[in-house]
Amino acid sequence: MSDTSGSEAFREDVLAGLSADPPTIPCKYLYDAKGSDLFERICETPEYYVTRADLALHETHMDEIASMIGPNAHVIELGSGAGIKTRVLLASLDSPRAYTPIEISAAALAQSTRDLEAAFPAIEIRPVQADYTRPIASEALALDPPARMRVVYFPGSTISNFEHEDAVAFLDRLRRIAAPSGAVLIGVDLVKPLERLLAAYDDAGGITAAFNRNLLERMRREIDAEIDAEAFVHEARYYDSLERIEMHLVARYPTTIVIDGRSFEFAAGDSIHTESSHKYSVASFKSLAEQAGLRSEKVWFDPDGLFSMHWLIS
Ligand code: AVI
């Protein structure tokens, strides 16, 4: 975010987050341009299985998924659609009516729209520039004549980064976008042994650490925060009872962050919680979806059983 209003929202959220107990900064702020590049690099680390497993699931089950979607469907993706998974999906569909990527970054949306138009000249691409975590105007998604069905497509397990309550509210919105006769096709990372998760969120090459620590640099760059960035180290923690992995920036020695003349003191060992990534069993995700009025009709897995994709209907 380089616009002033974006920086102001960042400043307010950081001030509120550092005043909270425990200090927390919303994970969306990890994704400035540099953070987004680092996230792409995380996806290529040997330890971060999520992206590869999601793609393997797509490649293994796309014929069946495409036959469930059927002809004349309107696929609405939350995210730019720049990834290879979108191509696997679009290439498998039987005469799709249209494809709508919803993406906040105008540049990312324009680029992926150009690429997809070139790759799929027969598919109508209808980009919508918007923050998909907020309500989308229904006119932006309307087709005339309407498609046979809508499929709201949300791969990658970004749902993991929502707190449960927010995940239910978000799924409820997806249900309403898909209504009355559509489906939500959503990727969900599965619970797995601790060692595997800790390695995935603290890779040996230090890319995840750089991704997390970039938040401190961003605070210095965009809101003039005074920070001794060397004082903080990246840490991944798994909380069994919450079935989630958390990223933290932990103070190695006493330090102070100063923003707008306000001081936030950290003793050695104190941390800033920067992200949660919830892991689900099939049962726990089904029950989450049920709270949003959605029923999981079918679940697919990658060949190694690391990742799942649910077909949710109301
Ligand atoms: C985007 N999201 C699904 C990633 C995850 O696995 O929770 C973000 C991430 N954070 C650290 N590594 C990857």
Side-chain angles (χ1 to χ4, degrees):
M1 277 184 219
S2 52
D3 61 306
T4 319
S5 58
S7 290
E8 276 322 300
F10 182 39
R11 181 187 303 276
E12 277 170 28
D13 285 348
V14 168
L15 287 170
L18 293 184
S19 311
D21 185 17
T24 306
I25 296 179
C27 65
K28 66 180 177 183
Y29 292 116
L30 292 164
Y31 298 89
D32 63 349
K34 184 167 174 203
S36 300
D37 282 350
L38 285 164
F39 178 64
E40 296 291 311
R41 289 177 59 198
I42 289 174
C43 296
E44 287 160 16
T45 62
E47 295 94 337
Y48 191 72
Y49 58 85
V50 176
T51 313
R52 280 184 298 278
D54 191 8
L55 180 58
L57 184 157
H58 277 66
E59 284 167 342
T60 310
H61 299 292
M62 198 38 83
D63 287 350
E64 192 187 342
I65 293 171
S67 73
M68 275 186 92
I69 295 175
N72 190 18
H74 182 192
V75 176
I76 299 168
E77 176 165 358
L78 310 175
S80 75
I84 184 160
K85 287 169 282 188
T86 304
R87 288 164 179 260
V88 172
L89 173 68
L90 293 180
S92 308
L93 293 179
D94 174 9
S95 39
R97 170 75 175 77
Y99 167 75
T100 294
I102 305 175
E103 165 64 43
I104 195 166
S105 155
L109 188 64
Q111 182 64 53
S112 72
T113 300
R114 272 195 300 276
D115 293 349
L116 291 173
E117 279 171 346
F120 300 98
I123 302 180
E124 186 186 352
I125 315 282
R126 298 170 57 98
V128 172
Q129 193 203 342
D131 176 355
Y132 66 67
T133 63
R134 292 163 176 270
I136 311 288
S138 57
E139 309 81 65
L141 302 176
L143 294 180
D144 184 18
R148 197 190 95 263
M149 82 175 312
R150 279 184 174 179
V151 177
V152 180
Y153 176 57
F154 195 39
S157 202
T158 301
I159 193 74
S160 293
N161 301 128
F162 289 68
E163 297 299 319
H164 291 308
E165 207 182 309
D166 298 334
V168 171
F170 183 68
L171 287 169
D172 184 60
R173 287 200 18 241
L174 303 193
R175 177 182 61 74
R176 280 183 272 131
I177 293 174
S181 57
V184 176
L185 183 60
I186 185 167
V188 183
D189 193 22
L190 292 165
V191 177
K192 53 187 59 65
L194 173 72
E195 302 68 41
R196 184 99 199 228
L197 288 172
L198 288 177
Y201 290 82
D202 193 6
D203 61 281
I207 312 295
T208 310
F211 172 65
N212 198 7
R213 292 169 49 80
N214 177 54
L215 190 55
L216 299 171
E217 287 170 35
R218 182 173 183 185
M219 287 160 64
R220 292 213 283 212
R221 250 190 336 260
E222 288 187 29
I223 58 172
D224 298 319
E226 292 166 43
I227 304 175
D228 171 9
E230 289 312 304
F232 291 93
V233 285
H234 164 71
E235 198 175 296
R237 300 176 180 164
Y238 187 67
Y239 289 91
D240 227 347
S241 56
L242 299 170
E243 293 193 322
R244 76 183 193 195
I245 191 132
E246 293 183 357
M247 292 205 312
H248 287 259
L249 289 163
V250 183
R252 294 190 293 146
Y253 46 80
T255 189
T256 305
I257 294 179
V258 182
I259 304 168
D260 291 348
R262 285 175 63 183
S263 296
F264 301 92
E265 314 277 348
F266 293 84
D270 285 352
S271 80
I272 307 171
H273 177 191
T274 52
E275 185 187 64
S276 296
S277 191
H278 297 83
K279 306 300 163 187
Y280 291 93
S281 63
V282 170
S284 64
F285 192 75
K286 278 186 174 176
S287 103
L288 190 85
E290 271 164 25
Q291 292 172 57
L294 287 161
R295 186 162 55 82
S296 174
E297 207 185 42
K298 174 84 193 160
V299 192
W300 295 276
F301 304 93
D302 67 293
D304 295 324
L306 299 171
F307 195 85
S308 64
M309 183 158 254
H310 288 248
W311 176 265
L312 305 173
I313 54 169
S314 24

